[in-house]
Amino acid sequence: MMENYKTDGLITAPYTPFKENGDLDLNRIPDYVDHLVSLGIENAFVNGTTGEGMSMTIDERKQTAEAWVTAAKDRKLKIVVHVGALCLRDSKMLAKHAQEIGAHSIGALASVYHRPTSEEALVEYLAEIAAEAPSLPFFYYAINFMTNVYLNEAKCMDLAKKAIPTFKGMKHSSKEKDSIARCLMKSEGGKYEVQIGSDDQFLETLVLGARLPVMNSYVAPMFHRMIKAFDSNDMETAQKEQNRALQVCDIIKRLGVPNKAVMNLSGFAVGPTRLPVKMPTVEIQETLKQELTEIGFFDWIKEPWQ
């Protein structure tokens, strides 16, 4: 698996479905897989930030990972399991479990309470996690605005290449474009992947050479059209699709709502968030729906992309 592993197409970070009382709603996942496949999404990064993995117990994360792997079996959907946790031993346990259940690859973010203060310390930490799943490709999940770990991510890539035999690349959700560019320069022609976790600046990174977006599934039609237009040198259309995604991001930020609220309006309901992330009030949900309607969002997601 390691030698031939290659990520193709769009990647989404799916939401973990919850019931109204906050319990897992894993019966939704088979239909969720169908929904993602219908959107042409080929990879799912589960139990990450969007999936609220850090708000789940270790047992819940195991159950959720198993549900995704089972539902995606024999489907064109690779399952990448995020195994980062507050405790290194928990991360190692989750990595081992991901390999046992047949996940396609794993990823982990930095420790977020006792934080590494050097690139060397971070990579040593990640190496212990990756070693528990020696047959699975490993990705470093860089998301500094959430972890508050601000290190040289390109240097981390260089160190990880030498220290982690299964290292395959990075899920780069940090916002600094100069860091993205430097990491792409370290990719060695695609041997090491740099996946871009951002709905609002993917076109800019396409220009830098990125090819692998990690996005909310509701913008997948826009991203398909954006990449197709970019590859055809149709920058006007590519810019239009990126600007559409940006308008959605702007509404979310202005209203202060979680992305899950948009997902629930976009054709596949995934339930509420868990505290401390709060779902919007009924009034704000109505405002969200109205503003998305006014910009054309519900028409954009229905436009052809194939």
Side-chain angles (χ1 to χ4, degrees), residues 3-18:
E3 292 181 1
N4 299 323
Y5 190 89
K6 183 176 182 292
T7 304
D8 292 306
L10 303 187
I11 309 160
T12 194
Y15 303 90
T16 298
F18 293 125

Side-chain angles (χ1 to χ4, degrees), residues 273-285:
T273 52
R274 279 187 174 177
L275 291 173
V277 179
K278 291 196 67 173
M279 291 296 283
T281 63
V282 172
E283 292 77 14
I284 293 178
Q285 287 188 65

Side-chain angles (χ1 to χ4, degrees), residues 47 53 56-65 82-85 94:
N47 290 346
M56 295 158 61
T57 68
I58 297 302
D59 185 58
E60 286 176 326
R61 290 176 67 171
K62 287 182 176 180
Q63 291 179 51
T64 303
H82 172 242
V83 300
L94 288 169

Side-chain angles (χ1 to χ4, degrees), residues 251 255 282-293:
I251 290 172
L255 296 179
V282 172
E283 292 77 14
I284 293 178
Q285 287 188 65
E286 285 302 315
T287 300
L288 173 64
K289 184 176 181 180
Q290 178 181 344
E291 292 199 13
L292 291 173
T293 300

Side-chain angles (χ1 to χ4, degrees), residues 108-172:
L109 44 67
S111 175
V112 299
Y113 189 77
H114 294 291
R115 300 181 184 89
T117 57
S118 70
E119 291 82 6
E120 289 80 4
L122 172 59
V123 172
E124 183 178 353
Y125 172 86
L126 297 174
E128 288 208 18
I129 299 171
E132 295 297 315
S135 69
L136 295 186
F138 177 84
F139 294 89
Y140 168 44
Y141 179 16
I143 183 166
N144 56 22
F145 59 89
M146 293 296 288
T147 63
N148 207 29
V149 174
Y150 287 86
L151 296 173
N152 185 323
E153 289 157 346
K155 182 178 179 181
C156 291
M157 279 191 73
D158 274 341
L159 293 171
K161 292 174 188 178
K162 300 173 183 176
I164 304 175
T166 56
F167 183 68
K168 185 60 182 173
M170 179 181 296
K171 180 180 184 286
H172 199 304

Side-chain angles (χ1 to χ4, degrees), residues 205-270:
T205 62
L206 269 174
V207 175
L208 295 173
R211 297 297 303 178
L212 299 170
V214 187
M215 32 95 248
N216 284 289
S217 57
Y218 53 74
V219 298
M222 302 171 215
F223 273 52
H224 281 300
R225 294 190 296 264
M226 184 200 312
I227 295 169
K228 183 177 180 180
F230 179 84
D231 290 344
S232 301
N233 294 316
D234 180 1
M235 288 303 295
E236 181 179 353
T237 298
Q239 290 170 346
K240 179 183 73 174
E241 297 297 346
Q242 179 62 87
N243 288 338
R244 285 174 165 182
L246 184 58
Q247 289 179 70
V248 177
C249 293
D250 287 346
I251 290 172
I252 290 169
K253 291 174 184 175
R254 186 174 63 256
L255 296 179
V257 299
N259 294 354
K260 205 171 197 179
V262 177
M263 182 68 182
N264 285 336
L265 293 172
S266 67
F268 191 87
V270 286

